[in-house]
Amino acid sequence: MSLSCLPDEVLKMVMQHVPLRDRLTNCCLVNRRLHAAAVAATDQVMLATDHMTTKAFRWLASYGHHVTKLHVDVCNTPLQQLPCPNLQELKFNCCSVQLEPTAGGQGIIEQCIKLTRLDLSCHIMDNPRIGGMSCLDRLQQLQHLHVHPRGPWPAWHPYTIKGLPSSTLPCLQQLTYLSVQNLSVENLPQLGSLTRLQGLSFGVTGATVFGPSTVHGLVFPDSLTSFHVQTSVEGGVLSMLPTRLRVLELGYVVQGPIEGLDLLLSGVARQQHLTRLSILSSEVQELE
């Protein structure tokens, strides 16, 4: 019995077990049926080594509309185009990407507006000083956003954004998880508009300590179940968090008078559903 005798759906399942390199090169050249099965089977592309990247992106140029999930862990060539209009999950790591449109073309985000999950642990080539990341406004179906930019080379010189454009967060109403290396003080009051947000992890740029006395209009959504902050906070922040939290991680606690510690303790005591609590602070001994 030859492969050509198998039904299309079975042939597709067979192709899914063939290594990506062989599927996109050898299998596609056998005949039209195997070519069609190889294309149909490649709705998820994971690139963990650079030697396969060139061939894979040539393939995406022709058949990228079949791909719904793309993970790129290593790529020595800066990425500026991604012809995958039906992409739902996109993850970049250890590479350089241009999200905004370039001269005479579309940016990566404009080509992938159906994304529900976006993970940017990479070098973002958009200039953060001139409104970089504003393209995220277009991702109205996005549910999971992770933005932790890095430097472009293995030495990983720190590369950070200093907050998202003011128009971005109010547009992302479907978000259930948000992790950003740095939010600006101006971004913090916008968090309250994300009514579906369950997981929140961030640092703050432009302030050494944040809380109700330093950020006007600070509100957190009632849907939160996980809260992780990497910046010093006022003790009163915990009293503003919803009581359904299961995970609470504070990277730093503001050092100050005992009243601040009392607020911290009373805020923790409100959380009856916690399964994980982490407070990293030089003040921990004084809480006893």
Side-chain angles (χ1 to χ4, degrees):
M1 181 177 176
S2 66
L3 285 176
S4 60
C5 296
L6 297 174
D8 290 344
E9 284 302 313
V10 176
L11 195 55
K12 174 184 173 181
M13 293 174 62
V14 172
M15 287 294 104
Q16 289 174 333
H17 293 280
V18 176
L20 183 65
R21 172 192 286 272
D22 295 326
R23 198 188 316 158
L24 301 188
T25 54
N26 301 331
C27 293
C28 281
L29 300 177
V30 176
N31 56 43
R32 290 184 178 181
R33 276 204 75 212
L34 278 183
H35 182 280
V39 169
T42 313
D43 58 346
Q44 301 183 13
V45 178
M46 317 289 178
L47 299 176
T49 55
D50 190 64
H51 68 271
M52 188 58 194
T53 301
T54 302
K55 291 180 180 178
F57 276 93
R58 270 190 212 144
W59 186 90
L60 287 174
S62 299
Y63 305 106
H65 56 284
H66 287 278
V67 179
T68 59
K69 180 186 293 186
L70 175 63
H71 290 190
V72 182
D73 283 342
V74 178
C75 182
N76 288 332
T77 303
L79 302 178
Q80 298 178 332
Q81 299 292 319
L82 196 58
C84 302
N86 295 309
L87 206 61
Q88 297 176 15
E89 182 173 320
L90 177 59
K91 179 178 180 181
F92 286 129
N93 186 40
C94 300
C95 58
S96 297
V97 298
Q98 177 76 45
L99 301 176
E100 293 276 8
T102 55
Q106 286 186 312
I108 286 177
I109 296 303
E110 282 189 338
Q111 295 172 300
C112 307
I113 60 173
K114 294 183 181 180
L115 285 175
T116 60
R117 184 183 180 100
L118 178 61
D119 189 324
L120 299 171
S121 300
C122 60
H123 174 224
I124 300 173
M125 295 188 292
D126 303 69
N127 190 335
R129 298 180 180 178
I130 56 174
M133 309 293 290
S134 61
C135 54
L136 298 182
D137 299 6
R138 304 178 184 94
L139 302 180
Q140 314 244 332
Q141 301 179 45
L142 198 65
Q143 299 174 18
H144 179 114
L145 176 61
H146 178 92
V147 183
H148 284 234
R150 306 187 190 184
W153 305 115
W156 294 140
H157 299 294
Y159 175 91
T160 62
I161 61 170
K162 300 189 181 301
L164 297 173
S166 59
S167 62
T168 296
L169 285 180
C171 290
L172 305 181
Q173 291 298 306
Q174 303 301 315
L175 274 185
T176 59
Y177 177 81
L178 174 65
S179 177
V180 181
Q181 189 178 56
N182 279 318
L183 290 176
S184 68
V185 173
E186 289 74 23
N187 289 146
L188 296 178
Q190 299 173 329
L191 293 172
S193 67
L194 303 177
T195 57
R196 301 188 180 195
L197 196 65
Q198 298 176 22
L200 176 61
S201 175
F202 66 100
V204 179
T205 184
T208 55
V209 176
F210 88 93
S213 69
T214 56
V215 180
H216 178 68
L218 181 63
V219 177
F220 296 106
D222 291 335
S223 54
L224 273 184
T225 59
S226 176
F227 183 81
H228 178 200
V229 63
Q230 304 158 18
T231 303
S232 294
V233 301
E234 298 175 8
V237 166
L238 272 67
S239 64
M240 305 178 68
L241 293 170
T243 57
R244 65 174 67 193
L245 284 184
R246 296 188 178 277
V247 177
L248 175 61
E249 297 181 349
L250 303 178
Y252 303 91
V253 177
V254 61
Q255 299 187 18
I258 192 65
E259 289 81 2
L261 299 178
D262 288 342
L263 284 172
L264 174 68
L265 284 173
S266 62
V268 172
R270 291 176 65 247
Q271 302 295 337
Q272 301 294 318
H273 303 287
L274 284 179
T275 59
R276 187 165 78 218
L277 172 64
S278 174
I279 301 177
L280 302 179
S281 169
S282 59
E283 298 284 334
V284 168
Q285 296 300 319
E286 299 186 27
L287 296 180
E288 298 176 354

